[in-house]
Amino acid sequence: MTASARTLASRLLEWYRRARRDLPWRGTKDPYRIWVSEVMLQQTRVSAVVPRYEAFLERYPSVEALAAADVEDLLASWAGLGYYRRARMLSDAARRIVREHGGSLPRSHGRLRELPGIGDYTASAVASIAFDEPTPALDGNALRVLARLANERRPVLAGAGRAAVRQLAESLMAAVPKGSRGDFTQALIELGATLCTPGAPRCGACPWQASCAALSAGSVETVPSRPARRAPKRLHICAGLAVAGQDILLRQRPADSGVMPGFWELPQALGGRGDLRETGLAVPCDGRPLATFRHAITDSIFTVRVYEARPGPSSARACQWVTLAAARELPLSTITTKALARCPGGVLGAKLPAGRDQS
């Protein structure tokens, strides 16, 4: 890194204001809208968030509206974005903001961190973008950009490498003029998302190319150090589709479930078709799957097979008949949404929209 912090900050801000993508959460200083966008963007692609962001805010236009929302309706509104715990934490935090802060988000990083579901990155992003606080927000994109700028070869997710990158981020943020700290936060992330990408970075278009230590050393492709990825687990799930007219048989996950509590799903079981009988469904021994598809969750890849089934006495106690129209308004698990979309229309009579590959 050869240029001063002030020069680097100036170059980045100039590039950002010229080249940034036109995204719906940019250009606002409304803390609520910024908070919602940052939570939606956690571990979710921008392309998936863009069409959902405005619709979500239209339904929940304020902290008060979000705090008053029924959690099941909120989860249904979140369907397709994945990682549903975020929606529950939004609800919990909104209620606390109304109860303890009069409906206004706290104006500092430290106070924001006290809210449910708001970690260091989200608090830093909201504090800098909405309130111009000089607190750098370090997501994966920002960490990668700064590691390459300094040619920091150590892992940057924790430990000494993380500390070194944070110190660099703080020195750069200290050089940013008041009123531009939110732009700097977004510029750093934008640079990592569009130019300084993990593979095939576009160094020739980077505003920091002349000062990038990794580029000078020829180590851009290997910085920062990446931990070895474990091979994903490969598992099988069978789901049963019981249909009566325009009704389908669904079950609701318990409220204390560790995964997607309160969501609705087709009766299902890990393993083969025989294991599906544990749900109380009767499954023809020679029946072919109505649908087969893959579903990935974090470090697991599932092969899902959906079979036509009939309810038995035990399944009737654990499940409920739901009309297809009513099912559209429920928070459905992503596997169930995919299953309903992929089964033949003659079985369902209609199709639900397909979900994403994360739950």
Side-chain angles (χ1 to χ4, degrees), residues 21-236:
R21 292 170 293 176
D22 183 16
L23 299 174
W25 47 85
R26 289 189 171 150
T28 181
K29 293 295 184 182
D30 182 343
Y32 173 66
R33 296 177 71 90
I34 292 167
W35 172 44
V36 169
S37 72
E38 290 297 337
V39 174
M40 284 188 169
L41 288 164
Q42 292 170 13
Q43 299 179 291
T44 304
R45 296 185 301 271
V46 168
S47 60
V49 173
V50 167
R52 310 302 298 277
Y53 174 71
E54 292 292 355
F56 186 90
L57 287 172
E58 184 175 347
R59 186 160 187 176
Y60 308 109
S62 65
V63 174
E64 289 82 2
L66 183 59
D70 177 81
V71 173
E72 193 164 279
D73 290 341
L74 178 62
L75 292 173
S77 299
W78 197 267
L81 287 171
Y83 302 101
Y84 292 92
R85 185 175 181 274
R86 295 177 297 170
R88 291 182 175 276
M89 291 295 98
L90 270 175
S91 176
D92 291 346
R95 291 172 182 172
R96 186 162 169 182
I97 291 167
V98 168
R99 185 173 64 249
E100 299 180 8
H101 301 280
S104 297
L105 267 75
R107 298 180 62 87
S108 71
H109 171 275
R111 297 299 302 278
L112 286 164
R113 285 283 279 119
E114 296 172 359
L115 296 173
I118 295 189
D120 180 70
Y121 167 76
T122 302
S124 298
V126 174
S128 61
I129 298 170
F131 304 123
D132 200 43
E133 185 174 293
T135 308
L138 300 178
D139 75 340
N141 286 311
L143 288 168
R144 182 173 58 257
V145 169
L146 294 170
R148 287 173 172 170
L149 179 64
N151 198 25
E152 176 55 68
R153 295 173 178 269
R154 293 170 292 186
V156 295
L157 296 180
R162 175 67 174 244
V165 167
R166 174 167 287 281
Q167 185 176 9
L168 174 57
E170 290 172 350
S171 68
L172 290 168
M173 181 64 90
V176 175
K178 289 183 179 180
S180 295
R181 291 155 178 165
D183 276 358
F184 181 82
T185 288
Q186 295 179 87
L188 199 57
I189 295 167
E190 184 81 346
L191 186 62
T194 61
L195 297 184
C196 195
T197 51
R202 296 164 54 199
C203 298
C206 178
W208 282 353
Q209 60 176 297
S211 303
C212 180
L215 180 61
S216 177
S219 56
V220 169
E221 296 286 354
T222 58
V223 171
S225 175
R226 301 181 184 91
R229 296 187 66 177
R230 293 183 299 176
K233 294 179 289 186
R234 297 186 179 274
L235 304 167
H236 295 268

Side-chain angles (χ1 to χ4, degrees), residues 280-338:
L281 295 178
V283 183
C285 294
D286 57 351
R288 292 179 175 272
L290 298 170
T292 301
F293 57 91
R294 291 201 329 157
H295 179 74
I297 303 177
T298 315
D299 61 350
S300 300
I301 298 176
F302 296 90
T303 298
V304 183
R305 293 183 174 86
V306 186
Y307 291 93
E308 188 173 2
R310 299 188 308 274
S314 59
S315 67
R317 290 193 297 270
C319 303
Q320 296 182 36
W321 288 104
V322 180
T323 66
L324 192 59
R328 289 192 178 94
E329 303 302 318
L330 292 175
L332 297 176
S333 73
T334 309
I335 285 179
T336 294
T337 303
K338 286 183 174 183

